[in-house]
Amino acid sequence: MHLRDGLQTHVTVRQRYDHLVELGSIRRDPAQLVIVAALDRLIDEISDKRLARKSSALGWLFAKRKPQREPVKGLYVHGGVGRGKTMLMDMFFELVPVKHKRRVHFNDFMADVHDRIQKQRAARKNGTSRDDDPIPPVAAALAEEAWVLCFDEFSVTDIADAMILSRLFSALFALGVVLVATSNVAPRDLYRDGLNRQLFLPFIGMLEQNTAVLNLDADTDYRLEKLDRVPVYISPLGEAADKAMDKAWAKVTHGAAAEPATVAVKGRKVAVPAAIAGCARFSFADLCEKPLAARDYLAITAHYKTIFVDHVPVLAEANRNEAKRFILLVDTLYDQHIRLVISAAATPDKLYVAKRGHEAFEFDRTSSRLIEMQGAEWLDGWAEKHPEPAVSA
């Protein structure tokens, strides 16, 4: 341990973990300690590789002659929801001694990749680039910006993502990028039941070859242990739920009159039915029955820090598209730490009743996050991050 500016800092993930145990913030978990040890080994390997570079921070990545060392193998941690995967990865990201690193939700990363590919194709068309294939220059730019890449909740649901992942990560791994990812599924279960999945299978092999795959097999969902219900999830639907939502809306907006608004997204406009002072209100149909994607939800979070969603129905296999959007919506709100006030036909664990398909697999995480987002700890963290704005009537 070190002292910096009079404060205790930690060199290893294990030191940080033990300190949180001593404070009573977490409970020591043998399954988590296996991941802690793997993350510390990875930090040591990355540190050794960093010290071995010849010149610039990325010199060893782009050296033309064959490197003397084996590439650093990353880490892929999978397990059930609420087991502490994200907490451990965040400790790693903070402590790994690398300047060029990036921690990002997978959906946001892929939205960025598609934007870059589109710009690269436009550059080829207008003659400012000679690259016929947009993937190599995009991968090179990504690797130069961050050679340690951390993905939270790695999950592939979009065929456009699935079709480019093999080529993109083949280039990234060749450039020495080290991947650390968390997921609630093993690599072999990624994009399960997806369209043209056979074309995705090479990526799974590549992922297993370039990362150590570990299962965080803890028995406790720590999110449920911290649950302290507050009235932000209202169920079942009906007149009483509508009145409760209206009452909550009036409270957070201080009774100010809301008006329709729009959010610009890549030349399009997403309609916001009611908005005032950092608060926006939608129906489930507004957000999940229209052709919106992760980038639309991310753009909404840039403008509004409290989101109301009315009338979320119970979803079945016939509602797979709506369920996929709802999963993306909750992931985005969770990752951006947005306060969510919601009325729904059932409790989070009973919102999706289909037993087959990728969405059924993914919805476990969604229900867990909906539970956590009701907790006092989540809402206290939101309040610290987003001080209440002054609202004029």
Side-chain angles (χ1 to χ4, degrees):
M1 296 188 186
H2 292 276
L3 288 177
R4 184 182 64 198
D5 300 329
L7 299 175
Q8 179 176 280
T9 62
H10 303 90
V11 176
T12 67
V13 177
R14 180 59 187 264
Q15 287 176 343
R16 174 66 55 81
Y17 186 91
D18 288 344
H19 184 57
L20 291 176
V21 171
E22 291 170 7
L23 292 175
S25 300
I26 61 174
R27 192 171 68 226
R28 194 178 304 278
D29 186 317
Q32 290 180 345
L33 288 173
V34 173
I35 309 301
V36 166
L39 290 169
D40 276 333
R41 285 195 299 270
L42 182 55
I43 286 177
D44 288 342
E45 291 178 19
I46 289 173
S47 298
D48 289 344
K49 195 77 172 183
R50 177 173 168 266
L51 291 173
R53 69 179 184 236
K54 298 274 185 189
S55 52
S56 70
L58 294 174
W60 65 271
L61 285 179
F62 301 106
K64 291 184 179 180
R65 62 183 183 181
K66 189 175 180 179
Q68 298 300 311
R69 296 173 177 237
E70 288 295 317
V72 175
K73 210 171 186 181
L75 194 63
Y76 183 103
V77 180
H78 67 95
V81 295
R83 308 309 191 202
K85 302 184 297 295
T86 298
M87 173 191 72
L88 296 175
M89 188 183 72
D90 286 346
M91 290 182 188
F92 165 83
F93 182 78
E94 182 180 345
L95 295 171
V96 65
V98 171
K99 180 180 179 182
H100 296 276
K101 58 185 177 179
R102 183 180 182 187
R103 189 260 194 229
V104 63
H105 192 282
F106 178 72
N107 291 329
D108 296 342
F109 175 79
M110 290 309 300
D112 179 34
V113 167
H114 287 298
D115 283 345
R116 291 172 186 250
I117 289 173
Q118 185 178 13
K119 290 177 182 176
Q120 188 65 33
R121 284 173 174 159
R124 179 68 180 91
K125 188 174 181 179
N126 64 30
T128 57
S129 171
R130 295 183 179 179
D131 295 297
D132 292 325
D133 183 355
I135 297 294
V138 166
L142 290 167
E144 188 171 359
E145 292 168 13
W147 63 272
V148 174
L149 188 58
C150 295
F151 285 155
D152 188 25
E153 299 297 355
F154 197 112
S155 172
V156 184
T157 61
D158 190 289
I159 187 172
D161 294 346
M163 292 304 99
I164 67 170
L165 279 171
S166 291
R167 295 184 58 241
L168 176 67
F169 273 86
S170 177
L172 289 174
F173 288 139
L175 292 169
V177 169
V178 178
L179 175 66
V180 178
T182 70
S183 179
N184 66 332
V185 299
R188 63 181 177 274
D189 289 323
L190 287 168
Y191 199 53
R192 193 170 71 172
D193 300 327
L195 188 64
N196 292 326
R197 188 173 188 264
Q198 70 277 8
L199 301 178
F200 178 75
L201 296 179
F203 173 71
I204 294 176
M206 186 187 309
L207 191 61
E208 292 177 332
Q209 182 180 354
N210 288 276
T211 65
V213 179
L214 295 179
N215 181 18
L216 180 50
D217 190 18
D219 294 328
T220 304
D221 187 335
Y222 293 103
R223 295 174 183 175
L224 291 176
E225 279 195 345
K226 297 177 180 178
L227 180 61
D228 182 10
R229 248 173 229 285
V230 291
V232 293
Y233 191 101
I234 299 164
S235 178
L237 297 178
E239 185 179 351
D242 291 342
K243 288 181 178 178
M245 287 289 282
D246 290 341
K247 183 177 180 180
W249 176 257
K251 183 175 181 180
V252 301
T253 61
H254 300 273
E259 299 201 359
T262 58
V263 173
V265 185
K266 296 291 177 184
R268 297 180 292 104
K269 290 185 178 180
V270 176
V272 182
I276 181 72
C279 304
R281 189 168 182 177
F282 302 86
S283 68
F284 174 84
D286 293 326
L287 292 174
C288 301
E289 293 180 7
K290 295 180 180 179
L292 302 182
R295 69 177 63 203
D296 300 301
Y297 302 139
L298 189 62
I300 290 170
T301 67
H303 291 80
Y304 306 106
K305 304 311 175 187
T306 295
I307 304 292
F308 276 59
V309 180
D310 290 281
H311 302 148
V312 178
V314 170
L315 299 163
E317 191 166 357
N319 312 112
R320 287 185 65 183
N321 288 335
E322 293 88 342
K324 178 192 285 190
R325 294 188 191 105
F326 188 66
I327 290 168
L328 288 175
L329 172 66
V330 173
D331 278 348
T332 305
L333 298 182
Y334 180 90
D335 199 53
Q336 299 300 317
H337 211 124
I338 301 300
R339 179 169 59 173
L340 174 63
V341 183
I342 189 170
S343 68
T347 55
D349 59 318
K350 292 181 172 61
L351 269 182
Y352 195 69
V353 296
K355 302 302 181 184
R356 299 184 305 165
H358 185 79
E359 290 72 26
F361 212 58
E362 289 290 297
F363 214 90
D364 283 344
R365 182 180 75 247
T366 301
S367 61
S368 177
R369 289 186 161 183
L370 286 171
I371 290 171
E372 183 181 356
M373 292 166 80
Q374 299 172 55
E377 184 176 343
W378 170 273
L379 294 167
D380 287 346
W382 173 88
E384 291 177 6
K385 186 176 181 181
H386 307 295
E388 186 175 6
V391 180
S392 57

